[in-house]
Amino acid sequence: MNIDVVILAAGQGTRMRSDLPKVMHQLAGKSLIQHVLDTANQLESSHIHLVVGHGAEQVKQSVDSRVNCVIQSEQLGTGHAVQQTLPYLRQDSIVLILYGDVPLIHISTLNKMLSLVNEQQIGLLTVELDAPSGYGRIIRSGEGLVSAIVEQKDAKDEQLAIKEINTGILAVKSSHLRQWLPGLSNNNAQGEYYLTDVIALAAQNNIKIETVQPGQEQEVQGVNSRVQLAELERWYQQRQAVVLMEQGASLLDPGRFDLRGELEVGQDVVIDVNVIIEGKVKLGDNVRIGANTIIINSVIGNNVDIQANSILDQTEVSDGCSIGPFARLRPGTKLAEKAKVGNFVETKKTHIGRGSKVNHLSYIGDSEIGEAVNIGAGTITCNYDGVNKFKTVIEDGAFIGSNTSLVAPVRIGTKATVGAGSTITREVASNELGIARGKQRNIPDWKRPEKKK
Ligand code: UD1
Ligand code: CA
């Protein structure tokens, strides 16, 4: 069955008080509209039509080019919005109406609704709310059949008492929309063409309206303000946290954990508070992550200890490594097994070999470090001359004394030693000691200057 998904996203979102179109605001690191698109893309043989208006260009540029963006230049109502897509809807398809600002609708709920649609039936997603104010109310006849939707502003007092509300999400044959949409009127309290009026038209034509309820209320929660966005974000994060805990990760406080992307976890992973995971991240078994750590698009092996306040971005960390606290591993960092990168160490485009250590206060960039190398505190690879970047190679078993500057391109051979405080500008060959620092001179009976009277 062909499905034409119509996503409404032309509204301004005044209450966000933002220059950014509402549907471009992010939830869990992804725009609201992208959440909806990702869900819609899970439906087979679907075409996606996105109705845009306010901030149309910006929204259009942010979405996949396969999405058919349809401009609604004046926002004359939800019925008018859907009407703009009529020329693009396939004959005989089922049209699924979604909202760009309702990001967490679940595929299972949509499938349930879609399965009810045919020439004689419409699927409508409704929910019962204790506080239904603001929403369209579902009107049912004596036999309990849905006969209409009445908007809050058009409702009579007894209708306002109804708790079953219209979520806005519905599925209907395209042939029915072609029949009914052109006949909508805007003779109502808001002077808008209401999509919801098709429900009464359907009932009058003896088409049955089958209602479905979402698995969870948050699935149909719209975002109209930053407060609502924050509430939905927390709910979503809490739900992701539960899934991770079920997969074998301990979150020391699930309320202080943020996953903005996809995280795969092994068993007995322990994540301390305020950890942020972005993009695609994989953690092996027995990984411990200290507080306030950020990990972006990285793969971490088994038995790795990442201590507090570290940042890892596009890195590969092998089994048994130890990182941080306060380490910054930038893109292209690869640590072989049991490597150690300690506090206030920054690395970039660097491979650190098995069992090698960079324990304190160093910058290691564009470097190839062999196995069992020890890099002393305060070592800097001078990889940049202001124009070009150069490589530093440090071979197996080398020992770099503290406070060394390695002016790249430069090579330190196997088991070579560099004396502390050296500025190394040329190769130190295997087993050699390289030392390049001012010679110490001691002056006896040195008198310190005295303060003038
Ligand atoms: C709509 C429903 C209401 C339902 C509520 C659920 C109608 C008439 N009413 O009301 O029954 O309870 O949603 O949240 O449909 N939009 C356009 N173009 C327009 C108008 C709206 O694209 O011309 C988009 C908006 O960007 C928004 C969505 O449609 O994403 C809903 O519009 P909104 O004005 O918020 O509808 P409600 O009054 O909330
Ligand atoms: Ca709304």
Side-chain angles (χ1 to χ4, degrees), residues 151-155 186-192 194:
E151 291 303 297
Q152 165 93 19
K153 287 181 180 152
D154 300 287
N186 64 352
N187 183 15
N188 53 49
Q190 300 183 81
E192 286 182 7
Y194 291 163

Side-chain angles (χ1 to χ4, degrees), residues 76-81 83 184-186 188 191-195 197:
L76 303 180
T78 49
H80 179 258
Q83 208 179 342
L184 292 184
S185 105
N186 64 352
N188 53 49
E192 286 182 7
Y193 297 92
Y194 291 163
L195 177 63
D197 284 352

